Amino acid sequence: MTKGNGEDPKPGSRMERIQQGVRKRTLLAKKKVQSITKDDVKSYLMRNAFVLFTVVAVILGVILGFSLRSYKMSYREVKYFSFPGELLMRMLQMLVLPLIVSSLVTGIAALDSKASGKMGVRAVVYYMSTTIIAVLIGIIIVVIIHPGKGTKENMHREGKIVQVTAADAFLDLIRNMFPPNLVEACFKQFKTNYEKRKFKVAIPPNDTSTVTSVISNVSEAMEALTRMREEIVPVPGSVNGVNALGLVVFSISFGLVIGSMREQGQALKDFFDSLNEAIMRLVALIMWYAPLGILFLIAGKIVEMEDMGVIGGQLAMYTVTVIIGLLIHAVIVLPLLYFVITRKNPWVFIGGLIQALVTAVGTSSSSATLPVTFKCLEEINGVDKRVTRFVLPVGATINMDGTALYEALAAIFIAQVNNFELNFGQIITISITATAASIGAAGIPQAGLVTMVIVLTSVGLPTDDITLIIAVDWFLDRLRTTTNVLGDSIGAGIVEHLSRHELKNRDAEMGNSVIEENEMKKPYQLISQENENEKPLDSETKM
């Protein structure tokens, strides 16, 4: 009897507890809403001024862009109109190079080799896992929706595609990891070019035609003995742009060496730390101009884009498919991964990244967004600087979730419009190639189109059909860049959570020098960190 009596009330009591909890929360929420004053609203607006300005700038940019389309502006007029946006891009790109080098060197030097090794392994495992998940999502979505149903005859083509072989592309990736000249790496990347060359091929001596020609004419005999064969050969070349991968590899190695030098390397460590601090203060200044720049970037791109009529049935379905795939990865997979590992609310973390995500939409470049991402993670989300300085530059260079998803999806879409049936082995090949190619995609606008050639070549699909999707790539590029930035940022949050014990141990060894540095009030710090709530506790204990 007692056993039965003990078991009966349990379901009811659980429900009652849940109901009581819900009531308490609703009452607390009501009290908070009722207790909000004008000063609270003002302080909230002041703290989130940048975010609000940036969001408003995007909305105004879209409205302004579509409003001006009816004026049919010339190419020159569009370029003049977009000039404020171009200035923002140039300002951000100006800071990327010193930011990558200084942040990586200081981040690695602040950790011992064991801690940085563990952090590096965690970051790489996260990057590979999320990229593979993104590729699988892209493949599943495109197979289910099947946007390439029909033929490609009526589809609009745009632009030209530069041919490249997969082997040369991967060799270029490795070559760029070890630049022979660091100064040149600041503005150039190695890229294999192709040119036609003629080779002499001797005719076998037993050929009867050569004997008759020698008898008839000596000059004819000489021509016949040597035939000219034309062949396309790879030759070393270069393209303009920061070789981020080479600088990342050098900075990591340099940081490890400085960290191992201890007192001898302190001067260099202080130099790069000061450089990083100075760059972040410059970022804070540029942020005042960012909303205006983003407004004109977006408005200019909308004015510049081709007639919306070219986005027909198949291309519209393809666009919707890519958007669905990116949304599943960015809104479901990444937040769920963050929650499962850290047991924290992912939306609070993502809320602190709004400015970086909106900047990614405006600039369409994960590298150009890097300074803003640093600011959001360190100041708003309070992520440890040693983590952000290591994870973000590496992530912006090699972690391209959105690009990987897009490449796998686009490759299967091109197969569908060509009525090309892919077997399981070819789909696996696409997934592996898309994962590898996304690592080689530089953090610059529309770099995914270049690496797309590698993915298509791997399964024998026509590379010229990339021109079918260029019409909508400018828009999708912004969405996949935003996904890339979100993936890098959530990765920093996850790596910090997993590395918290190593970071605490390092703090104890260094006499809490890093914590003291973080607690110093900085002039550029406009939004208080969450971990500042811990400061009063220290002062109370001292009292």
Side-chain angles (χ1 to χ4, degrees), residues 9 25 29 56 106 132 202 270 323 336 355 368 406 432 462 467 541:
R25 284 180 183 178
V56 169
T106 51
I132 290 164
D270 291 342
I323 292 168
L336 189 65
Q355 195 177 3
Y406 165 82
I432 293 167
T467 55
T541 50

Side-chain angles (χ1 to χ4, degrees), residues 353-371:
L353 298 168
I354 288 172
Q355 195 177 3
L357 299 177
V358 173
T359 307
V361 171
T363 61
S364 185
S365 169
S366 50
S367 293
T369 311
L370 194 59

Side-chain angles (χ1 to χ4, degrees), residues 212-251:
T212 55
S213 61
V214 167
I215 295 164
S216 63
N217 195 316
V218 175
S219 60
E220 284 180 15
M222 291 302 294
E223 286 176 17
L225 281 166
T226 54
R227 289 181 190 164
M228 301 303 289
R229 178 167 58 87
E230 205 173 63
E231 192 178 323
I232 295 170
V233 293
V235 291
S238 61
V239 288
N240 291 329
V242 177
N243 179 6
L245 195 60
L247 292 172
V248 162
V249 171
F250 171 78
S251 302

Side-chain angles (χ1 to χ4, degrees), residues 366 399-403 479-489:
S366 50
N399 184 38
M400 303 278 176
D401 296 351
T403 306
L479 299 183
R480 62 178 185 257
T481 301
T482 309
T483 308
N484 293 341
V485 170
L486 180 64
D488 295 343
S489 305

Side-chain angles (χ1 to χ4, degrees), residues 106-182:
T106 51
I108 297 292
L111 299 162
D112 57 11
S113 56
K114 192 178 178 183
S116 59
K118 283 183 178 179
M119 197 184 288
V121 168
R122 285 167 187 148
V124 170
V125 168
Y126 167 81
Y127 295 153
M128 292 306 296
S129 304
T130 52
T131 306
I132 290 164
I133 290 167
V135 168
L136 291 174
I137 290 168
I139 290 169
I140 291 164
I141 291 293
V142 75
V143 168
I144 291 169
I145 298 175
H146 207 285
K149 203 179 287 179
T151 58
K152 63 180 180 181
E153 272 66 40
N154 297 325
M155 289 183 73
H156 172 77
R157 288 181 183 271
E158 201 173 291
K160 289 181 180 179
I161 297 301
V162 179
Q163 297 298 326
V164 62
T165 62
D168 288 330
F170 287 122
L171 287 173
D172 285 354
L173 185 68
I174 296 164
R175 288 185 187 109
N176 280 320
M177 287 172 72
F178 306 100
N181 187 332
L182 274 177

Side-chain angles (χ1 to χ4, degrees), residues 197-379:
R197 285 189 184 174
K198 289 183 178 180
F199 294 93
K200 291 180 179 180
V201 180
I203 299 171
N206 61 348
D207 196 335
T208 55
S209 64
T210 55
V211 178
T212 55
S213 61
V214 167
I215 295 164
S216 63
N217 195 316
V218 175
S219 60
E220 284 180 15
M222 291 302 294
E223 286 176 17
L225 281 166
T226 54
R227 289 181 190 164
M228 301 303 289
R229 178 167 58 87
E230 205 173 63
E231 192 178 323
I232 295 170
V233 293
V235 291
S238 61
V239 288
N240 291 329
V242 177
N243 179 6
L245 195 60
L247 292 172
V248 162
V249 171
F250 171 78
S251 302
I252 289 171
S253 309
F254 198 56
L256 285 168
V257 170
I258 290 173
S260 64
M261 287 170 71
R262 298 186 184 278
E263 288 83 10
Q264 281 181 305
Q266 191 61 44
L268 274 172
K269 199 188 290 184
D270 291 342
F271 167 75
F272 282 107
D273 208 24
S274 299
L275 178 63
N276 188 262
E277 193 69 30
I279 295 298
M280 289 312 294
R281 293 190 188 196
L282 278 174
V283 171
L285 291 172
I286 290 170
M287 283 306 96
W288 288 104
Y289 178 72
L292 184 70
I294 288 168
L295 189 153
F296 282 98
L297 271 174
I298 291 173
K301 200 66 196 177
I302 290 170
V303 171
E304 189 185 344
M305 72 180 180
E306 295 291 324
D307 182 27
M308 297 294 285
V310 301
I311 304 172
Q314 285 166 297
L315 203 55
M317 278 304 294
Y318 162 74
T319 306
V320 169
T321 309
V322 174
I323 292 168
I324 290 169
L326 292 172
L327 280 173
I328 290 170
H329 189 71
V331 179
I332 298 171
V333 173
L334 291 175
L336 189 65
L337 202 62
Y338 180 83
F339 173 74
V340 168
I341 294 170
T342 64
R343 296 291 174 186
K344 293 175 186 173
N345 186 347
W347 299 109
V348 173
F349 188 86
I350 293 167
L353 298 168
I354 288 172
Q355 195 177 3
L357 299 177
V358 173
T359 307
V361 171
T363 61
S364 185
S365 169
S366 50
S367 293
T369 311
L370 194 59
V372 189
T373 315
F374 266 107
K375 195 169 178 294
C376 289
L377 279 175
E378 290 177 6
E379 292 186 23

Side-chain angles (χ1 to χ4, degrees), residues 408-512:
L409 196 154
I412 296 174
F413 170 75
I414 287 168
Q416 289 172 356
V417 296
N418 283 285
N419 294 315
F420 188 89
E421 287 293 327
L422 294 169
N423 57 40
F424 183 71
Q426 286 171 317
I427 290 172
I428 293 293
T429 305
I430 285 173
S431 61
I432 293 167
T433 318
T435 305
S438 68
I439 296 166
I444 54 173
Q446 296 187 328
L449 283 177
V450 180
T451 51
M452 194 65 215
V453 176
I454 302 165
V455 181
L456 293 178
T457 308
S458 67
V459 286
L461 287 167
T463 53
D464 288 340
D465 284 356
I466 295 173
T467 55
L468 298 171
I469 58 175
I470 288 177
V472 292
D473 188 72
W474 71 271
F475 172 67
L476 296 176
D477 188 29
R478 280 161 163 68
L479 299 183
R480 62 178 185 257
T481 301
T482 309
T483 308
N484 293 341
V485 170
L486 180 64
D488 295 343
S489 305
I490 284 180
I494 288 171
V495 169
E496 186 202 33
H497 178 78
L498 296 173
S499 306
R500 61 194 184 280
H501 299 302
E502 286 90 347
L503 294 169
K504 281 179 184 176
N505 294 338
R506 185 65 177 166
D507 286 340
E509 287 172 20
M510 298 295 288
N512 295 325

